[in-house]
Every structure is written in structure tokens, then in C-alpha cells.
Amino acid sequence: MINDLYINTYNPDVLSCLANLSNDEVFTPPNKVNDMLDMLPKNIWKDKNAKFLDPACKSGVFLREIAKRLLEGLEEEIPNLQQRIDHIFHHQLFGIAITELTSLLSRRSVYCSKYPNSKYSITAFENISGNIRFKRIPHSWTGERCTFCGASQSEYAREEGLETHAYEFIHTVKPEDIFNMKFDGIIGNPPYQLSTGGSGVQATPIYNKFILQAKKLNPKYLSMIVPARWFSGGFGLDSFREEMLNDTSLRIIHDYPEASDCFSGVQIKGGVCYFLWDRDNKGDCTVYTHRGDSIGVPETRPLLEKNCNTF
């Protein structure tokens, strides 16, 4: 079978068993990734020119599952398996890791080697990163806060060798310069928040910054899985909430009021959701509410209904 190279390498699938490190950085199980990918049109997996970006790679599972679909979808157009693999991994899949460790894990998941220029990689690159990059960058301090993400200088101004959590994708005014290309699909599970450093003080949400930055790249499709607290706004999310509710490109939302129904064993106040943003297909949004193993009757309507200021 086409996907034997992944099935044989990951059996059992370590990405299904990977423990979540914290509520800030939650790893996505493969089955949930595929639920998200199912929202995209099927013909995209037959398009050899379609390009995909995960702007917040942790385990590499999004790129890996996309690769599986492209390997099958492009079989007729590129019959030779190795040529198909080389084309997909070199020209269609791109990622930005959130830490150096997750860059190694992501490359191991996608290329079957943490160094894609080694003999163990399923496709040969000339560099050690392939198309999954990690760049350690500093925060840009203005006063005691980072201009880009709002991180506290006292909490995140760290010495060399320690993670600063200054995520590359949201620490630039020109995200298009990172890979210097346009993407058909931007899909991922970004970090959710940054600690403010104070006992009992609410953390600063940053997942909204990943979504807004992705929109700047104007992809055909955008899908992310994030906390659902933006439904009600508050703590820096009011303007983000307003933009999302008025965005008619937001076509599908899957809502999990209990985060553990989506991420086993994880508790996130307000639950989580994932969505499909479709640039060229505007209209009402269809909302699916998940409770346990059941899904309520889907409701299709404008997110911000007339004379109503609630989701």
C-alpha cells in the first residue's frame, strides 16, 4: 500500500500515544487531525501544486497526515513512488516548529528522520531542516512587554540555550517572507497562551495571533484547533471575537464545550473548537456541537445574528 512507509514506521502510532505537556501546548491526536482535513475539498489532494503550512509544528502530525492524502491522491499523476514522495515533501509541505525539540520530533514524524539530509530520511534534502524550520528569535521588548505577543519580560527574557517561546510565525510583520510563497492550506494547533508570571493572574492568549497572522497570508483554506473562549471574548479577545463573528469566510465550526471530549485527559476552561475558513466561499456558518460521543443537530446561520451579540 502507498502509506506502508508510515504504517510500518509508526505501529503503534506514537503520535496517538504522545502525552500532552501542558494546556498551553496541546498535541493533536491523528484522528482529530483527519477530522479537520476532512473539511477540505477532496480534489485538493490531487493537486500537485497545492502547498500546505503548519505554522506551529509540535509532533508533525498535521504534515504527516496531509502527506498520506497526497501520496494517494497524486498516484495517477506521479506513478513512481519515490518521485511522488520527493515532489510532495520538497514542494508541497512546509512547517515552522515552536521549539528546537519539536522541530526534531516533527522531522522524525514527517521524514522518518530528524535530520532529512541523512541516509535514513525517506527523501533527501541538502540541509538538516528540510522544509520544517526552527529559528530561535528574541522577543521585541517595549517596556516590559513583547511588541508582538505581549509576553512579560520578567518571565520570558531568558538566557541563551533556554526556550524563549518567541514563536517565529507571530514575531514578524511580514509572515510571507518566512517561506516566500503562497499557501493553499494553513492548518495547525497553535500554542494557546503565555504565562503572565503572576500567581493567580490569567495567562495571555496567543492562539488568536496565529489565526490573524495566517489570514494575512490569504490562503484558500485555514483550519486551526484552539480554545473556544473567543466565543465570549474578554481578556484581550474582544476585537478578535468581533472579527471572527463578522467573517463570512468562516464556514464550519466544530465546538467541544468539554475539551476532554476532543483531547483526552485535557481540561481547558470554555472548551475547544476547530474551524474551516474558506476564502472563496463566503456564507453562513454551520456549527456542530460535540458532547461525549454524540453530535447535536448542526445549525447553519450567521455567527453574529441580527439584533444578537452572542455566539
Side-chain angles (χ1 to χ4, degrees), residues 202-307:
Q202 188 174 2
T204 301
I206 59 170
Y207 60 89
N208 52 312
K209 299 181 183 295
F210 278 84
I211 295 172
L212 295 175
Q213 195 79 317
K215 284 186 179 183
K216 287 183 182 179
L217 294 179
N218 198 31
K220 288 183 179 178
Y221 306 101
L222 168 61
S223 182
M224 289 190 179
I225 185 165
V226 296
R229 287 193 293 269
W230 66 267
F231 291 175
S232 56
F235 204 72
L237 291 170
D238 289 342
S239 61
F240 174 72
R241 174 181 183 274
E242 183 177 359
E243 175 173 328
M244 292 289 278
L245 294 186
N246 285 283
D247 191 342
T248 55
S249 288
L250 193 58
R251 301 306 311 279
I252 300 174
I253 292 178
H254 284 264
D255 178 31
Y256 292 79
E258 294 293 333
S260 58
D261 290 336
C262 182
F263 298 121
S264 179
V266 175
Q267 297 296 325
I268 298 175
K269 186 177 180 180
V272 297
C273 68
Y274 59 84
F275 63 85
L276 175 67
W277 182 90
D278 187 337
R279 184 190 68 194
D280 301 327
N281 183 21
K282 299 182 184 296
D284 292 342
C285 185
T286 301
V287 180
Y288 300 84
T289 301
H290 298 251
R291 298 185 186 278
D293 295 328
S294 64
I295 306 176
V297 177
E299 184 179 2
T300 301
R301 61 173 176 83
L303 286 178
L304 190 60
E305 294 183 308
K306 188 176 181 180
N307 300 322

Side-chain angles (χ1 to χ4, degrees), residues 91-259:
H91 302 291
Q92 296 192 263
L93 301 181
F94 300 84
I96 305 171
I98 62 172
T99 67
E100 185 173 8
L101 177 61
T102 61
S103 73
L104 298 175
L105 178 57
S106 295
R107 293 182 201 122
R108 178 67 177 84
S109 300
V110 176
Y111 305 130
C112 299
S113 172
K114 60 184 179 180
Y115 300 116
N117 63 343
S118 75
K119 66 179 181 180
Y120 302 107
S121 177
I122 59 174
T123 186
F125 283 88
E126 295 182 356
N127 60 73
I128 63 172
S129 298
N131 285 338
I132 301 175
R133 61 182 279 163
F134 171 73
K135 183 178 180 181
R136 191 181 190 277
I137 59 176
H139 289 281
S140 297
W141 304 117
T142 300
E144 298 181 352
R145 296 285 176 182
C146 175
T147 303
F148 291 102
C149 69
S152 167
Q153 186 172 10
S154 62
E155 183 77 4
Y156 290 99
R158 299 172 177 176
E159 63 185 58
E160 188 71 26
L162 296 179
E163 293 292 349
T164 63
H165 299 281
Y167 305 113
E168 182 181 10
F169 187 64
I170 61 172
H171 282 74
T172 176
V173 295
K174 292 186 175 181
E176 65 272 14
D177 289 347
I178 296 177
F179 282 109
N180 193 29
M181 66 179 61
K182 292 188 177 295
F183 293 98
D184 297 88
I186 299 180
I187 304 173
N189 180 0
Y192 294 163
Q193 60 191 28
L194 289 173
S195 170
T196 57
S199 177
V201 180
Q202 188 174 2
T204 301
I206 59 170
Y207 60 89
N208 52 312
K209 299 181 183 295
F210 278 84
I211 295 172
L212 295 175
Q213 195 79 317
K215 284 186 179 183
K216 287 183 182 179
L217 294 179
N218 198 31
K220 288 183 179 178
Y221 306 101
L222 168 61
S223 182
M224 289 190 179
I225 185 165
V226 296
R229 287 193 293 269
W230 66 267
F231 291 175
S232 56
F235 204 72
L237 291 170
D238 289 342
S239 61
F240 174 72
R241 174 181 183 274
E242 183 177 359
E243 175 173 328
M244 292 289 278
L245 294 186
N246 285 283
D247 191 342
T248 55
S249 288
L250 193 58
R251 301 306 311 279
I252 300 174
I253 292 178
H254 284 264
D255 178 31
Y256 292 79
E258 294 293 333

Side-chain angles (χ1 to χ4, degrees), residues 3-75:
N3 291 325
D4 280 351
L5 63 98
Y6 281 119
I7 295 171
N8 292 336
T9 304
Y10 301 95
N11 188 19
D13 191 341
V14 67
L15 302 189
S16 295
C17 308
L18 188 62
N20 295 314
L21 298 181
S22 71
N23 284 358
D24 299 354
E25 299 172 0
V26 181
F27 287 81
T28 318
N31 66 318
K32 202 56 58 183
V33 171
N34 280 292
D35 288 343
M36 295 171 67
L37 296 179
D38 284 344
M39 296 189 297
L40 274 63
K42 290 182 171 55
N43 61 1
I44 200 170
W45 313 119
K46 295 180 179 290
D47 184 353
K48 70 175 183 179
N49 297 312
K51 292 178 170 57
F52 300 88
L53 171 68
D54 179 352
C57 288
K58 303 186 196 77
S59 66
V61 65
F62 283 94
L63 296 179
R64 192 195 74 176
E65 296 305 311
I66 291 171
K68 287 182 179 181
R69 293 177 181 233
L70 291 171
L71 281 167
E72 182 175 345
L74 295 176
E75 184 175 13

